[in-house]
Amino acid sequence: MIEYQNVVKEYQDNGALIKAVDDLSLQVESGELVVLLGPSGCGKTTLLRLTNRLEDLTAGQILINGQNILEQDEVKLRQKIGYVIQEIGLFPNKTIAENIGMVPKIIGWSAERIEKRVQELLEMMNLDADLFKDRYPAQLSGGQRQRVGVARALAADPELLLMDEPFGAIDPINRKEIQDQFLHLQDKLQKTIIFVSHDIQEALKMGDKIALINNGQVVQFGTPEEILLEPANDFVQDFVGTERAMKALDLVQVTEIMHEVEYKYKGLAVQDALTWFRKKNNEYLLICNRDQKPLGYVSHQDLVDDYAAEAVIDDYIRDLYTVLHPQDTLKEALNVMVTNEVTTLCVVEEGALVGVVKFADLQDYLSKNYRREHQELKKA
Amino acid sequence: MIEFLINNWHQALVLAGEHLFIVLVATSLAAAIGIPLGILISTKEDWAPVVINVANIIMTIPSIALFGIMLPLLSIFNAGLGTVPVVIALILYSQLPIIRNTYTAIQNIDPAVVDSAKGIGLSTWRRLIEVELPLALPVIIAGLRIAIVMNIGIVTIAVYVGAGGLGKFIQRGIDQVYEEQIMAGALLVALLAIVVEALLYGVEYLVTPAGLKEGQQHD
């Protein structure tokens, strides 16, 4: 756990006194990824650099697991804290393996242990260890370099990780990939992470919590949903921007609005299907095989148009072109519906049907949030 | 001139050896002072302009004048003439290229590399040994190369305060109005400078960290 208690950082700039961090208090729980979000010059990077003593506190204190950072040797303190910056800063004269193994070497790990750790970390970062470990940073692409930067920060298995816009210099396609990969990794590692960003989308995606910072103070501290849907004041509202309801689509997974659906197994007689359609007053029926794998759907109209009394419905099944997965967001669901011109999508987990999401469900969700946003605007 | 060299090749070798010896001893001592000084001012920014300006001023003193100034001072220790004043002069002249190159090389290291080195927990010493010096070394060697080539020239003049070296050919040639000897001396000094410079270019390439050499860049 990290506690910032009434932290102040002042410095002189051409005779003017600047308060970069102004009596800021914040508590970050262990295993939590907290994004420090704010406009440039708001003090978020300074706060990060105060944490590993790259900057000196003017007043207040910072405790890591209850221990005051000023009571520890600054070099030893930093060795226990991972540090990643946007410019990465790999050592150009050292190989990838030497870069990653630097801190373990300094704190006295054996060569064998370091080699094993380097191997493990490169694999964790989806980089082929044999291919990359003897290369130099200049031989890697930006995305690969940043993965090595993260690996170097994790090398000595620190509890705490400080990341200053780590994915800011990577092109959008690679950025999404490396963000996803990092979130996946964090699920397993459960590090305490302080992550500086100026990008609201990135903050919403990465953060367990977001601390929105302005003029050296925390304006609002809460989960992404809270920041998005219950902004504390005009600054937060402006920073988050318009279309908050739309942005919220990106945060919510389809499992939250999906519901169960009735389906039949293949081999069903057409007669039975027609009975079902009559009773339920439905237009479509979902067909699965015996292990709940969705095969497709049958349209009532097809059965009526091409009626054959003795037939089974297997011949009438239409393909499901696409399905959703539980971790997909509402935004992705909406996108799939619009591009494929469908209004119902199956959610499939490991091949088996777990539910469906209908366009109407998305509509409900949106209008609920839109009403909320609208009411707040009227109040203001 | 060729005839002169063929007849005096043994002496030419001895003088060239003497010449090189003075230069190498003086430059080594100069490096032992200048490199640490360059490192020091790269960490204490305020001192940098003062130190570099002093080195600059020393550089502007003509060598003959410098020998003249040192003569009465060193005479107190009975060393006004000979190798001692030459070595001292060379050490003083070498400071500018050595200090300036060391300072600039360390200053020019990517700030992100220094910041991340600090941030992951490298002490000042560690940073210097593992990262900053290896990256700065080619530029530091370039400074030494400039100093050595310059010193080869200065030693030639130092023959007038009684130091040895290839300047002797030139001095004697002038005294005896023996043109071939003057030209032979001049040629040998130039040759020495070119050979030493080429060798040091090789050293510069060898100390360039593998990760920085050309042809390794991605994209």
Side-chain angles (χ1 to χ4, degrees):
Chain A
M1 188 170 75
I2 309 161
E3 293 159 87
Y4 297 90
Q5 297 174 346
N6 307 100
V7 171
V8 178
K9 172 65 184 177
E10 293 170 345
Y11 58 89
Q12 296 282 337
D13 186 35
N14 287 328
L17 186 73
I18 294 184
K19 265 197 169 162
V21 179
D22 186 5
D23 197 21
L24 181 150
S25 295
L26 185 71
Q27 192 165 316
V28 178
E29 303 295 334
S30 296
E32 218 172 47
L33 194 161
V34 170
V35 177
L36 305 179
L37 176 70
S40 59
C42 72
K44 55 192 192 301
T45 293
T46 309
L47 188 64
L48 189 86
R49 294 171 63 86
L50 285 166
T51 315
N52 63 356
R53 295 183 58 187
L54 286 172
E55 306 274 354
D56 292 321
L57 278 168
T58 308
Q61 54 183 0
I62 300 175
L63 308 179
I64 297 179
N65 293 332
Q67 211 188 355
N68 189 331
I69 57 164
L70 294 181
E71 284 162 10
Q72 304 169 58
D73 174 65
E74 57 176 11
V75 170
K76 291 227 172 70
L77 173 79
R78 290 177 196 141
Q79 286 166 1
K80 287 188 286 183
I81 302 177
Y83 184 58
V84 186
I85 54 177
Q86 181 176 337
E87 304 83 357
I88 319 172
L90 295 180
F91 311 134
N93 56 320
K94 305 246 173 225
T95 63
I96 300 309
E98 288 168 337
N99 264 283
I100 297 173
M102 182 59 85
V103 176
K105 186 177 101 177
I106 295 173
I107 60 176
W109 287 20
S110 71
E112 262 167 280
R113 188 173 168 203
I114 295 174
E115 201 190 318
K116 240 178 86 186
R117 181 69 178 153
V118 168
Q119 191 94 14
E120 181 185 45
L121 282 163
L122 282 173
E123 271 156 27
M124 219 188 257
M125 292 294 141
N126 273 353
L127 293 171
D128 183 340
D130 293 326
L131 198 64
F132 283 101
K133 65 178 188 221
D134 295 323
R135 293 201 182 170
Y136 288 97
Q139 296 168 287
L140 270 57
S141 72
Q144 291 166 341
R145 274 203 287 264
Q146 194 52 282
R147 285 180 175 84
V148 175
V150 174
R152 183 176 64 176
L154 290 171
D157 206 15
E159 239 177 274
L160 169 63
L161 217 55
L162 304 177
M163 307 179 88
D164 192 355
E165 310 221 3
F167 311 133
I170 299 170
D171 64 272
I173 294 167
N174 272 308
R175 188 187 312 146
K176 185 183 179 308
E177 193 191 310
I178 197 170
Q179 283 171 341
D180 290 342
Q181 208 182 2
F182 185 76
L183 279 178
H184 190 67
L185 198 65
Q186 166 65 359
D187 268 352
K188 277 188 286 183
L189 299 179
Q190 296 290 312
K191 303 280 180 196
T192 309
I193 301 174
I194 301 182
F195 187 113
V196 165
S197 179
H198 67 268
D199 176 2
I200 174 79
Q201 292 295 356
E202 181 173 60
L204 293 172
K205 178 174 182 177
M206 303 300 287
D208 294 321
K209 285 192 187 147
I210 297 174
L212 199 63
I213 295 175
N214 192 33
N215 295 327
Q217 289 173 322
V218 176
V219 185
Q220 187 175 359
F221 183 48
T223 63
E225 286 86 351
E226 284 166 353
I227 299 277
L228 208 49
L229 301 172
E230 292 152 32
N233 59 24
D234 289 352
F235 172 79
V236 181
Q237 205 158 51
D238 286 349
F239 196 84
V240 170
T242 50
E243 297 164 345
R244 282 185 283 131
M246 290 294 289
K247 280 176 185 157
L249 286 181
D250 224 358
L251 292 177
V252 180
Q253 295 185 336
V254 289
T255 44
E256 286 196 27
I257 65 161
M258 80 179 181
H259 45 76
E260 285 182 13
V261 67
E262 205 179 325
Y263 57 87
K264 297 286 178 195
Y265 295 115
K266 71 174 194 175
L268 184 73
V270 168
Q271 283 299 351
D272 294 344
L274 284 169
T275 314
W276 185 88
F277 276 120
R278 238 183 346 263
K279 239 174 18 200
K280 299 284 171 180
N281 198 21
N282 261 2
E283 279 304 306
Y284 300 102
L285 170 61
L286 193 63
I287 306 295
C288 292
N289 70 7
R290 288 286 159 190
D291 46 11
Q292 264 66 262
K293 182 181 184 300
L295 294 171
Y297 66 96
V298 176
S299 134
H300 185 200
Q301 199 62 46
D302 285 354
L303 295 188
V304 174
D305 288 349
D306 191 16
Y307 176 69
E310 301 305 314
V312 290
I313 53 159
D314 297 14
D315 301 333
Y316 296 92
I317 294 175
R318 295 183 178 209
D319 276 344
L320 296 169
Y321 287 106
T322 176
V323 293
L324 294 171
H325 301 283
Q327 68 271 26
D328 288 340
T329 63
L330 297 190
K331 194 174 173 185
E332 280 158 326
L334 184 62
N335 188 35
V336 171
M337 285 180 188
V338 171
T339 48
N340 293 292
E341 294 183 42
V342 293
T343 55
T344 307
L345 287 168
C346 293
V347 182
V348 173
E349 187 171 23
E350 285 165 7
L353 181 76
V354 289
V356 293
V357 173
K358 295 199 157 120
F359 185 71
D361 304 331
L362 283 170
Q363 235 170 354
D364 283 351
Y365 180 85
L366 267 173
S367 58
K368 203 174 68 199
N369 282 323
Y370 177 75
R371 272 199 300 278
R372 209 143 108 191
E373 184 171 352
H374 202 67
Q375 276 161 9
E376 281 157 14
L377 284 172
K378 270 208 314 227
K379 261 191 282 170
Chain B
M1 183 187 79
I2 306 289
E3 204 186 309
F4 173 84
L5 281 176
I6 291 167
N7 294 333
N8 297 278
W9 67 270
H10 185 71
Q11 200 193 2
L13 270 183
V14 171
L15 289 179
E18 239 175 56
H19 202 114
L20 209 55
F21 180 73
I22 296 171
V23 169
L24 290 183
V25 167
T27 316
S28 305
L29 291 172
I33 300 166
I35 294 174
L37 214 54
I39 293 169
L40 188 71
I41 61 171
S42 74
T43 59
K44 303 224 182 278
E45 283 290 298
D46 302 350
W47 301 2
V50 181
V51 171
I52 288 176
N53 277 329
V54 169
N56 232 325
I57 290 166
I58 292 172
M59 188 85 150
T60 60
I61 305 170
S63 47
I64 289 284
L66 189 59
F67 294 139
I69 296 165
M70 284 194 294
L71 188 71
L73 293 174
L74 290 173
S75 295
I76 302 168
F77 311 101
N78 206 12
L81 293 173
T83 316
V84 177
V86 186
V87 170
I88 292 176
L90 295 189
I91 291 172
L92 289 174
Y93 284 131
S94 301
Q95 292 310 306
L96 183 67
I98 293 174
I99 293 174
R100 195 184 48 199
N101 274 38
T102 306
Y103 171 74
T104 318
I106 293 177
Q107 284 291 301
N108 282 348
I109 293 172
D110 181 359
V113 171
V114 180
D115 187 59
S116 74
K118 224 190 249 181
I120 65 170
L122 270 65
S123 62
T124 309
W125 268 113
R126 275 280 180 183
R127 246 173 24 238
L128 208 58
I129 291 162
E130 300 276 5
V131 185
E132 295 176 351
L133 280 183
L135 291 177
L137 204 53
V139 181
I140 296 174
I141 299 287
L144 285 176
R145 180 167 52 79
I146 296 165
I148 287 177
V149 170
M150 181 182 74
N151 287 346
I152 289 174
I154 295 171
V155 171
T156 319
I157 296 165
V159 74
Y160 286 100
V161 288
L166 291 164
K168 270 195 180 153
F169 276 156
I170 299 174
Q171 184 201 28
R172 254 188 276 148
I174 291 170
D175 289 348
Q176 298 163 11
V177 201
Y178 185 4
E179 224 170 274
E180 275 76 30
Q181 196 175 351
I182 300 173
M183 277 165 63
L187 183 81
L188 287 173
V189 170
L191 214 61
L192 191 66
I194 290 167
V195 169
V196 170
E197 171 139 46
L199 280 175
L200 285 168
Y201 260 124
V203 174
E204 228 175 286
Y205 180 77
L206 284 178
V207 300
T208 302
L212 295 184
K213 280 180 183 158
E214 272 182 284
Q216 298 232 349
Q217 299 296 317
H218 179 87
D219 299 329

PDB file of all heavy atoms in Angstrom, chain B residues 80-95:
ATOM      1  N   GLY B  80      64.711  23.820 -15.639  1.00  0.00           N
ATOM      2  CA  GLY B  80      64.220  24.834 -16.575  1.00  0.00           C
ATOM      3  C   GLY B  80      64.315  24.398 -18.020  1.00  0.00           C
ATOM      4  O   GLY B  80      63.541  24.826 -18.861  1.00  0.00           O
ATOM      5  N   LEU B  81      65.242  23.521 -18.308  1.00  0.00           N
ATOM      6  CA  LEU B  81      65.392  23.030 -19.679  1.00  0.00           C
ATOM      7  C   LEU B  81      65.225  21.519 -19.679  1.00  0.00           C
ATOM      8  O   LEU B  81      65.236  20.871 -18.631  1.00  0.00           O
ATOM      9  CB  LEU B  81      66.793  23.387 -20.209  1.00  0.00           C
ATOM     10  CG  LEU B  81      67.055  24.893 -20.415  1.00  0.00           C
ATOM     11  CD1 LEU B  81      68.519  25.116 -20.773  1.00  0.00           C
ATOM     12  CD2 LEU B  81      66.144  25.468 -21.501  1.00  0.00           C
ATOM     13  N   GLY B  82      65.013  20.950 -20.902  1.00  0.00           N
ATOM     14  CA  GLY B  82      64.914  19.497 -21.012  1.00  0.00           C
ATOM     15  C   GLY B  82      63.479  19.030 -21.119  1.00  0.00           C
ATOM     16  O   GLY B  82      62.589  19.767 -21.549  1.00  0.00           O
ATOM     17  N   THR B  83      63.252  17.804 -20.658  1.00  0.00           N
ATOM     18  CA  THR B  83      61.952  17.158 -20.895  1.00  0.00           C
ATOM     19  C   THR B  83      60.854  17.689 -19.979  1.00  0.00           C
ATOM     20  O   THR B  83      59.698  17.772 -20.370  1.00  0.00           O
ATOM     21  CB  THR B  83      62.085  15.639 -20.693  1.00  0.00           C
ATOM     22  OG1 THR B  83      63.295  15.216 -21.349  1.00  0.00           O
ATOM     23  CG2 THR B  83      60.918  14.903 -21.302  1.00  0.00           C
ATOM     24  N   VAL B  84      61.222  18.063 -18.719  1.00  0.00           N
ATOM     25  CA  VAL B  84      60.191  18.456 -17.739  1.00  0.00           C
ATOM     26  C   VAL B  84      59.295  19.602 -18.235  1.00  0.00           C
ATOM     27  O   VAL B  84      58.077  19.463 -18.236  1.00  0.00           O
ATOM     28  CB  VAL B  84      60.833  18.780 -16.373  1.00  0.00           C
ATOM     29  CG1 VAL B  84      59.764  19.256 -15.386  1.00  0.00           C
ATOM     30  CG2 VAL B  84      61.556  17.566 -15.837  1.00  0.00           C
ATOM     31  N   PRO B  85      59.850  20.742 -18.681  1.00  0.00           N
ATOM     32  CA  PRO B  85      58.956  21.809 -19.142  1.00  0.00           C
ATOM     33  C   PRO B  85      58.097  21.388 -20.328  1.00  0.00           C
ATOM     34  O   PRO B  85      56.943  21.819 -20.448  1.00  0.00           O
ATOM     35  CB  PRO B  85      59.908  22.934 -19.537  1.00  0.00           C
ATOM     36  CG  PRO B  85      61.245  22.314 -19.683  1.00  0.00           C
ATOM     37  CD  PRO B  85      61.266  21.133 -18.752  1.00  0.00           C
ATOM     38  N   VAL B  86      58.609  20.532 -21.190  1.00  0.00           N
ATOM     39  CA  VAL B  86      57.816  20.083 -22.348  1.00  0.00           C
ATOM     40  C   VAL B  86      56.613  19.280 -21.882  1.00  0.00           C
ATOM     41  O   VAL B  86      55.483  19.530 -22.297  1.00  0.00           O
ATOM     42  CB  VAL B  86      58.669  19.211 -23.300  1.00  0.00           C
ATOM     43  CG1 VAL B  86      57.862  18.899 -24.545  1.00  0.00           C
ATOM     44  CG2 VAL B  86      59.956  19.920 -23.644  1.00  0.00           C
ATOM     45  N   VAL B  87      56.882  18.329 -20.976  1.00  0.00           N
ATOM     46  CA  VAL B  87      55.782  17.488 -20.500  1.00  0.00           C
ATOM     47  C   VAL B  87      54.714  18.356 -19.818  1.00  0.00           C
ATOM     48  O   VAL B  87      53.515  18.194 -20.073  1.00  0.00           O
ATOM     49  CB  VAL B  87      56.316  16.391 -19.548  1.00  0.00           C
ATOM     50  CG1 VAL B  87      55.159  15.680 -18.854  1.00  0.00           C
ATOM     51  CG2 VAL B  87      57.159  15.392 -20.327  1.00  0.00           C
ATOM     52  N   ILE B  88      55.163  19.309 -19.003  1.00  0.00           N
ATOM     53  CA  ILE B  88      54.186  20.187 -18.331  1.00  0.00           C
ATOM     54  C   ILE B  88      53.374  20.975 -19.354  1.00  0.00           C
ATOM     55  O   ILE B  88      52.147  21.056 -19.278  1.00  0.00           O
ATOM     56  CB  ILE B  88      54.898  21.140 -17.348  1.00  0.00           C
ATOM     57  CG1 ILE B  88      55.470  20.328 -16.182  1.00  0.00           C
ATOM     58  CG2 ILE B  88      53.920  22.202 -16.818  1.00  0.00           C
ATOM     59  CD1 ILE B  88      56.277  21.152 -15.189  1.00  0.00           C
ATOM     60  N   ALA B  89      54.044  21.501 -20.363  1.00  0.00           N
ATOM     61  CA  ALA B  89      53.337  22.273 -21.386  1.00  0.00           C
ATOM     62  C   ALA B  89      52.307  21.407 -22.106  1.00  0.00           C
ATOM     63  O   ALA B  89      51.162  21.815 -22.323  1.00  0.00           O
ATOM     64  CB  ALA B  89      54.341  22.843 -22.393  1.00  0.00           C
ATOM     65  N   LEU B  90      52.724  20.178 -22.444  1.00  0.00           N
ATOM     66  CA  LEU B  90      51.804  19.294 -23.167  1.00  0.00           C
ATOM     67  C   LEU B  90      50.581  18.957 -22.308  1.00  0.00           C
ATOM     68  O   LEU B  90      49.453  18.902 -22.799  1.00  0.00           O
ATOM     69  CB  LEU B  90      52.511  17.997 -23.581  1.00  0.00           C
ATOM     70  CG  LEU B  90      53.653  18.125 -24.589  1.00  0.00           C
ATOM     71  CD1 LEU B  90      54.097  16.743 -25.053  1.00  0.00           C
ATOM     72  CD2 LEU B  90      53.256  18.971 -25.793  1.00  0.00           C
ATOM     73  N   ILE B  91      50.829  18.722 -21.010  1.00  0.00           N
ATOM     74  CA  ILE B  91      49.697  18.422 -20.114  1.00  0.00           C
ATOM     75  C   ILE B  91      48.715  19.588 -20.115  1.00  0.00           C
ATOM     76  O   ILE B  91      47.504  19.411 -20.235  1.00  0.00           O
ATOM     77  CB  ILE B  91      50.202  18.136 -18.679  1.00  0.00           C
ATOM     78  CG1 ILE B  91      50.960  16.808 -18.649  1.00  0.00           C
ATOM     79  CG2 ILE B  91      49.043  18.110 -17.684  1.00  0.00           C
ATOM     80  CD1 ILE B  91      51.657  16.516 -17.324  1.00  0.00           C
ATOM     81  N   LEU B  92      49.254  20.808 -20.018  1.00  0.00           N
ATOM     82  CA  LEU B  92      48.389  21.986 -19.981  1.00  0.00           C
ATOM     83  C   LEU B  92      47.599  22.149 -21.285  1.00  0.00           C
ATOM     84  O   LEU B  92      46.380  22.332 -21.275  1.00  0.00           O
ATOM     85  CB  LEU B  92      49.220  23.244 -19.724  1.00  0.00           C
ATOM     86  CG  LEU B  92      49.781  23.377 -18.300  1.00  0.00           C
ATOM     87  CD1 LEU B  92      50.715  24.570 -18.192  1.00  0.00           C
ATOM     88  CD2 LEU B  92      48.636  23.494 -17.290  1.00  0.00           C
ATOM     89  N   TYR B  93      48.298  22.001 -22.429  1.00  0.00           N
ATOM     90  CA  TYR B  93      47.600  22.170 -23.713  1.00  0.00           C
ATOM     91  C   TYR B  93      46.549  21.094 -23.942  1.00  0.00           C
ATOM     92  O   TYR B  93      45.542  21.324 -24.596  1.00  0.00           O
ATOM     93  CB  TYR B  93      48.614  22.133 -24.871  1.00  0.00           C
ATOM     94  CG  TYR B  93      49.398  23.402 -25.000  1.00  0.00           C
ATOM     95  CD1 TYR B  93      50.782  23.384 -25.124  1.00  0.00           C
ATOM     96  CD2 TYR B  93      48.758  24.644 -25.015  1.00  0.00           C
ATOM     97  CE1 TYR B  93      51.523  24.540 -25.239  1.00  0.00           C
ATOM     98  CE2 TYR B  93      49.481  25.817 -25.130  1.00  0.00           C
ATOM     99  CZ  TYR B  93      50.863  25.765 -25.240  1.00  0.00           C
ATOM    100  OH  TYR B  93      51.572  26.913 -25.360  1.00  0.00           O
ATOM    101  N   SER B  94      46.805  19.882 -23.424  1.00  0.00           N
ATOM    102  CA  SER B  94      45.882  18.771 -23.692  1.00  0.00           C
ATOM    103  C   SER B  94      44.568  18.903 -22.943  1.00  0.00           C
ATOM    104  O   SER B  94      43.592  18.240 -23.282  1.00  0.00           O
ATOM    105  CB  SER B  94      46.526  17.444 -23.272  1.00  0.00           C
ATOM    106  OG  SER B  94      47.716  17.247 -23.977  1.00  0.00           O
ATOM    107  N   GLN B  95      44.569  19.744 -21.890  1.00  0.00           N
ATOM    108  CA  GLN B  95      43.371  19.784 -21.047  1.00  0.00           C
ATOM    109  C   GLN B  95      42.111  20.171 -21.823  1.00  0.00           C
ATOM    110  O   GLN B  95      41.063  19.575 -21.615  1.00  0.00           O
ATOM    111  CB  GLN B  95      43.574  20.756 -19.864  1.00  0.00           C
ATOM    112  CG  GLN B  95      44.599  20.273 -18.847  1.00  0.00           C
ATOM    113  CD  GLN B  95      44.354  18.850 -18.393  1.00  0.00           C
ATOM    114  OE1 GLN B  95      43.268  18.513 -17.945  1.00  0.00           O
ATOM    115  NE2 GLN B  95      45.365  18.005 -18.535  1.00  0.00           N
TER     116      GLN B  95
END
